[in-house]
Each structure stands twice: as structure tokens, then as C-alpha cells.
Amino acid sequence: MARPSDEPRNFESHSDLSGSARDVVQAGNVQGGVHFHRETDPNRVGPPRQLPGDVGTFVNRRNEIRTLDAVLRRERGGASGAAGVYVITGTAGVGKTSLALHWAHGVRDRFPGGQLYVNLRGYDPGEPVTAEQALDHFLRALGVAPSSTPARLEDRSALFRSLLADQRALVVLDNAATVSQVRPLLPGNPDCLVLVTSRHRFSGLVARDGAHRLRLDVFSEQDAVRLLHTVTAGYRVLTDTDTNLSELARLCARLPLALRIAAERASSRPLMPLDELIADLRDESALWGALTAEEDDESDAVRTVFAWSYRALSEAAARLFRLLGLHPGPEFGVSAAAALAGTTVSVTRQLLDVLTGAHVLEQAAYGRFQFHDLLRIYAAQQAAQYEDEEARDSALARILKHYLFALARAISHIAPLDRPVPLPDQYPDAVVEEFTDRAAALQWFELEQANLVSAVRTAAASGQHEVAWRIAALMRSVYVSRNPFQEWIAVAETGLASATAIGDRRGQAEMRDSLGKAYLQSQRLDEAELHQREALRLRRETGDRYGEGIAVNALGLLDWRRRRLADAEARFQEGREIFRSLADLRWEALLLSNLGMTRFDGLRLDLAATDLTEAVRLCREAGDRAYEGNALFYLSMTQRERGEPEAALSTIRQALDISRTDRLTAWGAFWILELARIQRALGEPGEALVSCHESAVAQRQIGDRNREAAALDSAGEAYRDLGRLTEAAKFHRMAVASYRDTRDQWALANALVNLALALSDAGDGEGAAGCAAEAAAVLSSFDDARATAQRERITGLLP
């Protein structure tokens, strides 16, 4: 059955990896199971090219480069198991990322399937990137729309492996801290290569997954001096001796990160004798040694160079550097930096240029900046030391409100029909993010999603609870169409804790609603009901009639999912009256559509047709095309069951036109199964089979096992109409197996009925009786009219 959310979903403005009739062979030639062949997404411009820029003055590492080059000479084409995996390990600042990216750029043409890159941020002071988040990033790069990304980690990983199964791709996993971050990101295709950089040795990955390890040590003195020569060439007079450069290299512990910062400072002061620069750094080293009790020479050297470079910055640049250490997320844009510092965008852009020029900040992409994790920690330490508590709190409040107001503007484009979340006052002279359209707003959201999640956590931890729950509430408008359940639930729980901490009942209700939606869509119905009942109580206490109607509708959907149809109908009637009293056409149409859906399930077809026809009219009047399509879908089902297949065909074609025009790919992939049923009713089982296969292809790529099983079950019915009973039973068995895994009892019962009938037609009385008996046992827990009708279909087959 269809599974609409209690609010219209928002869908991507580009095409998913949906199937089409071209993905499958024609009905008369189908042998065995469904064959999935991925059609090229017309919106993709080619394989992903995600590698960050190469290091401009990369030197040395000749032996390591030769080791990596040897990887490509190995014959891996016929190997089995995981893809080739190489772990580049070494201490912080030793140049692991630089080596991986430099080598990757040099061999990228050897990987025509593309190059994928993610910084897993395993050593940042903030939250690391999870495997789920990394896979979401990779799948989008491979052409999968966010609305079609599977929710579960295992399904995302499986889809990722499927998409790279016939590709030769390079995957760079930077700054990994745990095996759990890495293992789900391994393609499984031996023609792919995975480069992992980490401070850990990953012995388990070596032992279990056959990974190779390359340990990166600090530079030799000769190589360190060569790097200093290379970076400073053309900037300084030729009076720097190798002896002086050797001393500078020693003070930097021969670590590339420290050497580059020192070389940049030397280059920016071409007339200052190197002896003076070295003496300055040596004094800094002595000062640092007096302030620290650590016995790690490499760490001390790195921090000494940081301090030395930091003290050379102008006060404005140093202040921005310090405040950026307070940023809640791992990466930021110019506007966010300006908000944090309380300066204009133009001034901030100039200061960011100074910081990147000094190598204390990295430009990750155009307009996007990030710290090396060691520098981020150092910047935060400087903020704690040189900014008083009031200044730190003010800066943090500015950046958190910046993300709140920017997100609110983005949501007004992404989900313009959602009720706005009330906002606090904005601070004076705030930096404003502007969006020209929905696509721009979505692009901003995807870029800032990790920062928004961090902003919720940071706001809650710093006592800015009003901001925490509001950002969490706004994120719900995107989460409902993408289902990142782990992140969604964590964000909503943090928002709920913040709203509770300040006694904000409106905020508590919003967060309960968000959690209820997340649990409903992830099939955790008991938790969903708990939160929605609490949301309803809070809405009624605060006199929020609009919110009350939303909670009533959500509880009706829970009853519908559990096939408590009479209870669901009463809920939808109640919700409809609430929104009718509020003169809210959009929500009245949604409740009426849900009411018609419930009456259809209860075989009250005339009432369902009346409700759904009116729902279509109201959706059109309200301009809600997504739910117009959903109402048309259920109306077509009702018309077909009333014996009006021609009318049903016209209606479902209208729904499918909406899905194509508005790119509602996930819904369209399910709606096409009704076209298959109508085609069977019109005596066209071959055409129905093609429609079933198209749906199955799309659902496999989306990762929705329940709806893929529905497509397989429907294909089995088409095969039965064609008299091809062996294939029919095979497809029904596949559907039964999937429903057992997903624990969808109602769908399992229907698939078992279909399998019993196919086996009976094939002359397998014993098999038919066994399936009929199991179907009857499952159906005994349902007491609605449709369950009764299903039991009657198999009465004669029972033992």
C-alpha cells in the first residue's frame, strides 16, 4: 500500500536513477528474475570528479610515490572480494593527505569511472563524518537524488557497491579514525582502488579486508631542506644557506605541515635574514616549552610553528583566526565567517585571503574554507585565551543565529507550504543569505547540512535553547523527504531537550511531531505513537488548532498503518473538520485524501470515490501538485475496483504526468504499479509486466525493499495472467521472502494468497495448501473487509 507522509513531501528538482521500459526486456522474452540495468541519468554530466586541488609545490616522497605506482601494475582484474585498499598512515601533520591527493591527481585518468573523495574528519574536535553521511555524499555524486537515497546503512552501502560494480573508480577516504567509518565505503569491485589516510594503523582492515599499509615518516633532513628551497624560491635573496634551512627544518620537526607554514612566513619577509627568523622561532620554541608539559617533540614543534605564525598576523586577521576556532562545524563559507566575526563580507574575504596565504587556513573549494584539525584546536585555544567570555558568547550567538535565519529563508523556498517556525529577533547588521529559487536553497542546505547539525548540538550545549529547537524544527522540512533517520532522530531529540529545558511547549510540540514523523517513516510505530500523542496533548494545551490537526492526522496514519481502519477514519474525519474550520484548503485536501485512502482499504468504494474526487479538486485549488498526484493514484485504484478501468487509466496517467513533470520519482515509481493493475484489467498482461519491471528497477535503485517486493508480486500476477505459472510462482516467492524480512504482515499475507493461487493453477495442490494455510494465519489478525475478501479467495485451497 502507499505510504504517504502526513505532510506533502518535497522532492528534488533533478531526476533520480529511475527505471523505464528501456531498462527491461519485453514481456515475451523475460526469463527468470527481474534483470536490473541502470539507465544513464540525463542530468549527469559525467563521472564524479571530487578530488580537491593538488598541492601546488609538492616535493619529495619519491619512494612512497613508487610504492603507490606499483599498485596500478598489479593484476587485480580477476580478483574477488573487496576492492584494493591502501592505508596511508602516520602522525598528524606528516603530509598523508597531500601525498594521497598528489598521487591521485597523477593517476586519475586511469580511473574512468570517476574519483570520489570525502574528509571523514576522524580527528576533528567536532563530530566525525559517519559512514551513512559519507555514502549519502557519494550516492548523490553518482546520480542518486537525496529523496531516493536508502535510509539504512546496509542498503546505502549495497547501492554504492552496485553503482560501482562495473566501474573503475578511485575512492579517497581522508582522515579516517575507525574501521566502522571505512568498511561500508569499500566498493567491492577489484577494479576500484581505495586510498585511506589515517593516524591509526588499521590492523583489522589489513587482516580482514586485505588492505595494504604505507607508513609515512617525517621528511629526511635533505627532503625538508628541499621543500623549504622549493617554496621560498623566487621570494628570497639567495643568501639562505643549507645550514640555516636545516636548522629551520629541525625546529619544524621536519613535518610538512609545519615546514610549509614556516616557508610561507620566510617567503613573506624576503629581506629579513633567515638567522633572525630562526632566532624568532627558537624563542617561540623556548616559550612553548616553558608552557607545556608534553614530551612529544613533533607535537611541540607543530604548535611552536603555529604560535610563531599566528603572532605574525595582523590583529584583525588574528582575531578572525581565533573566532573561527569557535565555528560549530568543520567547514564554512565567507558569509558564516563574517557573521562569526561581526564584520562585512568584503572585509572578511580579505582576511580569509591573509589566513590562507599564511597556510593557517585551507580553501577547500571556491568560497569554502576549513582548518587542518590541529590548527582548529589551536585556534579554539587562542579564542579561549585571548577573547573574554562575553566576546566568545557574542560570536557564538551570531553564527548560530546566522545559520537559523539562513535555514529559515532556505526552507521558505524548499517547502513553501510548510507552516513557518517563529523566529527570534535578528542581531543588527546581520549577514543575510539570499536564495534565488528552490534549487539554490537546496544546494545551500546540502553544503551546510553538517554545520546545521553541529549548530543544533552547539546551541544546546551553550544554553541557546531557543535557537537549538528552531533549527531542528526547520530541518524536519527537508528530512521528511530524505529519511536520514539516524541524524533526524538525533537532531530532533536534541531540539526536544532544549525546548524542554526552557519550558517552551510550542517547541516541545514541534519536536515531538518531528520525532513522530521520523519513527513513523522508519516503521517504529510504537515510538511514533508515543510522540504524536504527546504532540497532540501539547497542541491542545496551547490552543494550537493547526498543530492539533497535524497531530490528529499523524495518529490517523498510525492507525491506517496498523489497519485499524475504523479508528483511522475517525481520526481523518476529525482532522478534516479542524482544517475546514481554519479554511486551510491544502490540509483539508490532504485529510480528505487520507480519508478516501482508508475507505478504499475498507472496500467502501463509493464513499472513497467521492472523497478522492473532492480531494483532487481541493489540491488543484490549493496548488499542491504532489498530493494531487497521490489523490489521483488512490482514485484510479478505486475506479478500477468499481469496474471502471478506462476511467482508471485516464486518472493514473494524470498522476504519472505529475510525477514526471514535477520529478516526484519515488512516488511515481510506486504509482506505476496501479497502471500495471489497470493494464491487467484491460487484458494487457504483457504491458503490465513491463510496467512492473519499470517499478522494480526504480525501487531497487531507491532501496525501498517493501515497494520493490510489491513490484515483484505484481509481476507475478501478470505472469499468471499470461499462463506462465512457473515464473508467476517464482516472482511471488521473491516477494514473500522480502516481506518476511521487512516484517510487513499485511503485504506478506497478500503475497502468500497470490502464491497459493499460482501454485494451485500450476497443479501443486500441496504447495498451494501450505501457502493458503500460512496466509490464513496471518490474515486472522486483521478484521477489515479486505482481509475477509482475501480469506475467501483461498478458502477452497485450505487443507
Side-chain angles (χ1 to χ4, degrees), residues 768-779:
C771 290
E774 185 180 357
V778 178
L779 287 167

Side-chain angles (χ1 to χ4, degrees), residues 48-271:
R49 301 280 187 258
Q50 292 191 324
L51 294 178
D54 193 1
V55 179
T57 53
F58 187 88
V59 296
N60 312 314
R61 302 301 190 192
R62 291 177 293 275
N63 292 334
E64 291 84 355
I65 291 290
R66 279 194 290 269
T67 299
L68 291 172
D69 284 343
V71 174
L72 295 183
R73 293 194 292 270
R74 293 198 180 102
E75 291 294 332
R76 294 181 293 112
S80 60
V85 182
Y86 232 100
V87 179
I88 301 174
T89 182
T91 191
V94 80
K96 301 181 293 295
T97 298
S98 295
L99 172 64
L101 291 180
H102 179 71
W103 184 80
H105 275 282
V107 300
R108 60 188 176 187
D109 292 343
R110 305 283 294 273
F111 296 93
Q115 303 91 45
L116 295 163
Y117 171 87
V118 64
N119 185 349
L120 294 172
R121 303 191 183 280
Y123 305 98
D124 273 22
E127 293 290 320
V129 174
T130 65
E132 290 93 338
Q133 292 168 330
L135 283 167
D136 178 69
H137 169 71
F138 284 166
L139 291 175
R140 280 192 279 116
L142 292 167
V144 180
S147 58
S148 300
T149 299
R152 297 194 313 155
L153 172 61
E154 307 92 285
D155 293 332
R156 288 187 184 188
S157 185
L159 179 56
F160 176 63
R161 291 193 300 271
S162 295
L163 293 174
L164 293 185
D166 58 353
Q167 301 294 323
R168 183 172 175 81
L170 176 63
V171 182
V172 180
L173 309 177
D174 201 10
N175 290 311
T178 65
V179 172
S180 63
Q181 284 181 298
V182 172
R183 195 164 276 140
L185 309 181
L186 302 182
N189 170 11
D191 287 331
C192 293
L193 178 65
V194 181
L195 285 183
V196 183
T197 72
S198 179
R199 296 179 199 172
H200 288 75
R201 293 172 56 81
F202 281 157
S203 298
L205 205 64
V206 173
R208 176 176 160 183
D209 299 279
H212 304 275
R213 187 189 294 126
L214 173 62
R215 174 166 178 78
L216 209 58
D217 291 319
V218 299
F219 279 154
S220 67
E221 181 175 316
Q222 180 182 1
D223 285 344
V225 168
R226 185 177 170 218
L227 185 148
L228 292 170
H229 266 305
T230 301
V231 176
T232 59
Y235 293 95
R236 294 183 59 79
V237 294
L238 300 179
T239 58
D240 298 340
T241 66
D242 282 356
T243 300
N244 283 342
L245 292 175
S246 295
E247 172 68 3
L248 183 57
R250 186 190 65 76
L251 289 169
C252 293
R254 304 199 306 276
L255 283 166
L257 174 63
L259 287 165
R260 287 188 179 278
I261 294 173
E264 176 58 36
R265 187 168 177 194
S267 298
S268 65
R269 289 161 177 75
L271 300 180

Side-chain angles (χ1 to χ4, degrees), residues 527-541:
E527 293 100 321
E529 183 170 2
L530 183 153
H531 287 290
Q532 290 297 358
R533 285 190 181 280
E534 186 62 15
L536 179 59
R537 182 187 68 80
L538 289 163
R539 307 280 204 196
R540 284 173 172 165
E541 283 183 1

Side-chain angles (χ1 to χ4, degrees), residues 344 643 646 742:
T344 65
E646 295 291 349
T742 63

Side-chain angles (χ1 to χ4, degrees), residues 7 419 476 505-514 517 532-552:
E7 292 190 42
R419 180 168 65 160
R476 169 189 54 191
R505 291 191 294 172
R506 166 70 187 271
Q508 292 173 51
E510 295 290 345
M511 292 296 89
R512 294 284 188 181
D513 173 76
S514 186
K517 285 179 169 62
Q532 290 297 358
R533 285 190 181 280
E534 186 62 15
L536 179 59
R537 182 187 68 80
L538 289 163
R539 307 280 204 196
R540 284 173 172 165
E541 283 183 1
T542 57
D544 181 2
R545 288 282 284 168
Y546 184 98
E548 180 183 349
I550 292 175
V552 166

Side-chain angles (χ1 to χ4, degrees), residues 327-405:
H327 185 268
E331 185 185 293
F332 47 86
V334 179
S335 296
L340 191 59
T343 57
T344 65
V345 169
S346 59
V347 168
T348 303
R349 186 175 285 113
Q350 294 171 6
L351 294 175
L352 290 170
D353 286 343
V354 171
L355 296 178
T356 54
H359 285 278
V360 295
L361 194 65
E362 303 170 10
Q363 187 160 3
Y366 177 74
R368 304 292 294 180
F369 300 87
Q370 64 183 10
F371 281 117
H372 187 284
D373 50 12
L374 293 179
L375 278 159
R376 185 179 176 193
I377 293 169
Y378 180 76
Q381 290 171 341
Q382 299 312 298
Q385 184 173 354
Y386 293 106
E387 300 288 336
D388 60 33
E389 184 176 0
E390 182 180 356
R392 295 196 304 272
D393 289 348
S394 178
L396 195 57
R398 285 195 302 271
I399 187 60
L400 293 174
K401 279 194 173 182
H402 170 78
Y403 281 124
L404 170 62
F405 279 85

Side-chain angles (χ1 to χ4, degrees), residues 449-532:
Q449 185 170 347
N451 287 330
L452 294 169
V453 173
S454 295
V456 173
R457 284 195 296 263
T458 301
S462 62
Q464 299 187 51
H465 298 298
E466 298 90 347
V467 174
W469 81 254
R470 284 175 168 86
I471 295 178
L474 286 163
M475 293 183 77
R476 169 189 54 191
S477 292
V478 182
Y479 284 153
V480 293
S481 65
R482 302 190 177 193
N483 291 342
F485 294 125
Q486 183 181 22
E487 178 179 300
W488 183 359
I489 290 170
V491 165
E493 285 179 340
T494 302
L496 176 59
S498 280
T500 303
I502 57 176
D504 190 324
R505 291 191 294 172
R506 166 70 187 271
Q508 292 173 51
E510 295 290 345
M511 292 296 89
R512 294 284 188 181
D513 173 76
S514 186
L515 285 164
K517 285 179 169 62
Y519 285 125
L520 174 69
Q521 292 177 204
S522 61
Q523 303 292 326
R524 296 166 64 178
L525 302 188
D526 290 341
E527 293 100 321
E529 183 170 2
L530 183 153
H531 287 290
Q532 290 297 358

